[in-house]
Amino acid sequence: MKAKRWAAALFLAGLLLAGPAAEASLWPGLASSARDKSGAFRSPYLIDHGYNETFAGNVNAAIAREKNSFLDELEKDNEKVRTEGWMIWHEGLIGNFVTNSQGITSIVLVEQQLSAGEAHGKTFAKGLNFNGAGELFDLKAVLPNLTVDDVNHCIELQAKKRNFPLLPAHRVEELPANFYVGKNRVVYAIYQQNDLTPPEVGVYAVPIGKV
């Protein structure tokens, strides 16, 4: 079992290293080409942030927790059916940009899985948002006055603009816990496949405010 887990870890690590080579972002506000990236990340691990080792350590630890959790999930899935998985990442607002007075560093980790016999895989996206100390922060830290009604309005407005169908039970009852801050300083809520939209829409990123 340890050998299988080690092999899976090496496989996933190789795919993580391929992340920055991705040609385009899947959602708005994220780096879509090499020239848009800050150069702060490799794999998605931080390599430099004003020589702040504490910041780098905190960010790397948070990313490592997500990677290990994904490996655990893949291992459990493979006990039932052969499942392949990979993780990529996209870069949002980065704290060492001159225009970023808030010191926000935001990235999106994207997990994808495909099990044997399935025609379509599953995609899960998670935003990780750090302050200048490398500590994760929640939505209220950047949008303290946002209400649930505001979010529902944004969900419906975005669907109308992009001509996306919404599920009948698409209205939310709480503020989103999953979000990222784009390079355009817009805050986007992340909703997974089947949360608010039919599965063919995929992950649904909704602009809900600006920092």
Side-chain angles (χ1 to χ4, degrees), residues 99-186:
T99 56
N100 183 7
S101 59
Q102 280 85 4
I104 294 168
T105 293
S106 184
I107 64 172
V108 178
L109 299 181
V110 185
E111 303 170 2
Q112 295 175 295
Q113 293 178 252
L114 181 63
S115 297
E118 289 184 346
H120 304 285
K122 294 179 289 187
T123 299
F124 179 85
K126 182 169 184 178
L128 297 179
N129 305 282
F130 305 92
N131 61 22
E135 300 164 336
L136 291 164
F137 62 81
D138 61 18
L139 188 62
K140 282 293 186 183
V142 285
L143 297 177
N145 300 317
L146 187 73
T147 68
V148 174
D149 283 342
D150 294 333
V151 174
N152 279 309
H153 173 74
C154 292
I155 288 169
E156 293 175 354
L157 182 63
Q158 178 74 348
K160 184 176 181 179
K161 283 184 176 179
R162 302 188 66 178
N163 197 29
F164 282 168
L166 290 170
L167 296 174
H170 64 268
R171 292 186 65 81
V172 300
E173 297 181 355
E174 57 187 21
L175 294 174
N178 195 3
F179 68 97
Y180 67 90
V181 184
K183 291 187 177 297
N184 52 6
R185 308 181 69 82
V186 173

Side-chain angles (χ1 to χ4, degrees), residues 80-99:
K80 302 173 185 177
V81 61
R82 177 173 173 77
T83 303
E84 296 181 349
W86 55 97
M87 181 185 286
I88 60 174
W89 67 282
H90 293 292
E91 180 184 290
L93 192 62
I94 299 298
N96 57 359
F97 278 13
V98 175
T99 56

Side-chain angles (χ1 to χ4, degrees), residues 25-78:
S25 296
L26 300 178
W27 303 289
L30 299 173
S32 59
S33 67
R35 74 168 184 269
D36 296 328
K37 293 185 171 68
S38 66
F41 290 91
R42 177 178 297 160
S43 165
Y45 284 95
L46 191 76
I47 56 173
D48 181 37
H49 191 288
Y51 305 102
N52 187 332
E53 292 182 5
T54 300
F55 179 94
N58 288 341
V59 170
N60 287 342
I63 294 170
R65 286 194 296 270
E66 297 298 327
K67 184 182 73 171
N68 290 336
S69 175
F70 185 46
L71 281 171
D72 287 340
E73 184 180 347
L74 281 177
E75 185 176 352
K76 290 177 182 177
D77 288 346
N78 272 286

